[in-house]
Amino acid sequence: MNWDDTPQQAAFREEVRAFVREKFPAGYKPARDEEQSLEPEDVAGYNWPVDRVSEDPVRRDGARAWARALAERGWIAPHWPSEFGGAGLSPMEEFILHEEMMRARVPTVNGIGAFLLGPTLLVHGTDEQKATHLPPIARGEATWAQGFSEPGSGSDLASLRTRAVRDGDVYVVDGQKVWTSLGQYADWLFVLVRTDPDAEPRHRGITFLLVEADAPGVTIRPITDLRGAAPFCEIFFDGVRVPVANRVGEENRGWYVAMTALGFERAGIGATIKYEQALAGLVAYLRSRDGARFARADADLRREIARRHTEIRVLYNLARYTVSRQATGEEPGYEASVNQLFGAELHQRLARTGARAFGRYADLWERDDAPMNAYWTHMVRDSVASTFLGGTTEIQRNVIATRGLNLPR
């Protein structure tokens, strides 16, 4: 396959690079010690949903200024129609935009609202829901979190128990969600609830609701991870009254809306560039004078680094393949699971390779005076969650087997 840019794509790539150089706020710099997110698509040192409400005025103003600059071009939600604040970019142009932002190490804006919820509303939402929710997302004024997983209902999502009972023109919601990424910073939640407890099969009794994060009866508690950061939370619903107008799709048919949402996974270019830059940084450090003091680069380690480099190129090609299918109007199916599985396991292998280079120095957690500011020590901790974040490896293999290879269940 030929992944070279067409002349039009090359011109757009240069346009993106110039935009970043000219418009990215000079004071909005990466925070070395901030680790609120686990997502491999995020740029190290930035976490836009957190930064936009930071107590540091320089960081807060920088995050908001960057959102305004992107919004003026429709580049927060670049693939959306212009009537809702998007730019109507093609899948390949969106891919190039995200790739160049990652290469420039500047953050994307409005994550899950822009790339999951928004496209779902474009398919299943009412005209009122689109008009109400899409423009604030595209302007960087409203952030969203996904309320799907529950205690005991993660990979087996159809077993969820959060209950919604209709009372006139509202649903009364009771239950709990957990592992909600950045939910404590969200303005809105999109939530799966059970509206028919007797439905068989179970997924037929589920409804998709839009819930204000500060609605009466909603309690959000951050969860601290093994790094001491809080990238996710648990959410409790106690008699929360949600207007029926906030239901997306039909009652008891929310499972199909949710599957639409999960189909809008990113192609994976962000993780690819992040890993590529990390490995290049490791090689440069090992060749430096400082690296010679701490690290060891024996023949086995060199071969391991070469394997990681090859695997990163494979991941890049998987991402390009996925977006090339989208560009021809096809809907990616099991390819998203291939990307997720390969990228998650690569994250862990890459982290181990980097840590191996430093031997016992890789045990240093504090960044000051540690080689490469303990980057690889922290990546090892980050990578632990990769093989169940966004779907366990077992689930991904099942999807690949049944949808990709047509094997029996």
Side-chain angles (χ1 to χ4, degrees):
M1 295 182 180
N2 181 6
W3 298 137
D4 292 340
D5 288 342
T6 66
Q8 293 80 8
Q9 291 166 354
F12 180 70
R13 192 180 293 276
E14 288 301 322
E15 180 184 347
V16 174
R17 291 172 178 171
F19 171 83
V20 172
R21 287 194 301 269
E22 296 168 7
K23 297 295 185 179
F24 190 74
Y28 189 19
K29 299 183 182 300
R32 188 184 68 165
D33 298 328
E34 295 296 325
E35 296 192 73
Q36 299 100 330
S37 179
L38 289 170
E39 297 292 340
E41 294 279 335
D42 292 333
V43 176
Y46 293 104
N47 198 332
W48 185 83
V50 180
D51 295 340
R52 70 185 278 265
V53 294
S54 172
E55 295 181 359
D56 178 352
V58 175
R59 193 159 198 80
R60 183 177 63 247
D61 293 348
R64 295 182 179 185
W66 180 228
R68 287 194 298 271
L70 287 169
E72 288 175 2
R73 300 293 295 267
W75 283 359
I76 289 179
H79 55 298
W80 294 5
S82 59
E83 63 184 293
F84 297 119
L89 297 188
S90 69
M92 190 57 71
E93 288 171 329
E94 182 186 11
F95 183 92
I96 291 170
L97 173 63
H98 192 196
E99 179 181 0
E100 290 303 320
M101 289 175 65
M102 288 296 298
R103 291 196 183 283
R105 305 189 189 216
V106 298
T108 55
V109 167
N110 233 338
I112 205 165
F115 80 86
L116 275 191
L117 178 70
T120 303
L121 289 182
L122 287 171
V123 175
H124 294 285
T126 65
D127 290 343
E128 182 180 358
Q129 288 168 348
K130 295 173 188 177
T132 299
H133 296 295
L134 296 183
I137 294 173
R139 293 193 298 264
E141 297 171 356
T143 57
W144 288 76
Q146 173 183 294
F148 284 10
S149 295
E150 299 183 3
S153 298
S155 298
D156 183 19
L157 189 57
S159 67
L160 66 86
R161 293 180 293 178
T162 294
R163 182 81 179 272
V165 178
R166 185 156 180 174
D167 179 18
D169 60 355
V170 301
Y171 289 101
V172 181
V173 180
D174 292 277
Q176 180 187 358
K177 298 294 179 178
V178 74
W179 311 124
T180 304
S181 297
L182 301 177
Q184 64 269 46
Y185 302 101
D187 302 301
W188 283 80
L189 314 166
F190 54 101
V191 181
L192 289 181
V193 297
R194 185 163 298 285
T195 42
D196 184 353
D198 300 319
E200 290 292 342
R202 292 174 299 176
H203 68 267
R204 289 187 178 171
I206 292 172
T207 298
F208 192 110
L209 298 179
L210 310 179
V211 183
E212 290 187 81
D214 62 354
V218 176
T219 301
I220 300 178
R221 298 176 184 169
I223 299 174
T224 302
D225 67 13
L226 58 79
R227 308 166 304 165
F232 31 58
C233 64
E234 55 184 345
I235 304 176
F236 298 88
F237 301 90
D238 183 11
V240 180
R241 299 179 70 82
V242 180
V244 171
N246 285 11
R247 184 188 71 213
V248 180
E250 300 176 24
E251 183 171 295
N252 297 327
R253 299 281 292 177
W255 180 264
Y256 305 99
V257 179
M259 293 305 101
T260 297
L262 296 177
F264 290 114
E265 293 289 352
R266 292 178 178 175
I269 186 60
T272 303
I273 303 305
K274 188 174 181 177
Y275 300 160
E276 179 184 288
Q277 292 173 336
L279 190 63
L282 174 65
V283 171
Y285 186 82
L286 293 175
R287 290 173 171 168
S288 71
R289 180 177 299 178
D290 286 343
R293 290 192 301 134
F294 291 108
R296 58 189 184 86
D298 55 34
D300 287 342
L301 179 62
R302 287 195 292 271
R303 283 192 290 269
E304 206 170 304
I305 288 172
R307 284 194 291 269
R308 299 296 88 82
H309 175 79
T310 301
E311 291 164 349
I312 289 169
R313 298 313 302 164
V314 170
L315 187 63
Y316 179 85
N317 280 278
L318 287 172
R320 288 297 299 247
Y321 174 69
T322 298
V323 78
S324 70
R325 289 199 62 191
Q326 294 172 332
T328 59
E330 297 182 72
E331 289 293 331
Y334 69 94
E335 291 87 358
S337 289
V338 174
N339 287 359
Q340 168 71 16
L341 176 62
F342 188 82
E345 294 184 346
L346 172 57
H347 189 191
Q348 295 178 345
R349 290 193 297 271
L350 178 62
R352 290 194 295 268
T353 295
R356 178 186 171 188
F358 298 101
R360 295 299 300 271
Y361 288 105
D363 294 334
L364 296 174
W365 179 256
E366 297 300 327
R367 295 184 183 275
D368 291 336
D369 299 323
M372 292 192 74
N373 296 317
Y375 178 90
W376 295 97
T377 308
H378 285 249
M379 182 187 271
V380 168
R381 304 300 191 277
D382 291 348
S383 70
V384 169
S386 293
T387 47
F388 54 86
L389 183 74
T392 66
T393 55
E394 293 80 5
I395 293 296
Q396 305 302 347
R397 284 186 167 89
N398 281 340
V399 171
I400 294 166
T402 56
R403 300 182 189 174
L405 302 176
N406 293 318
L407 296 177
R409 291 183 177 274

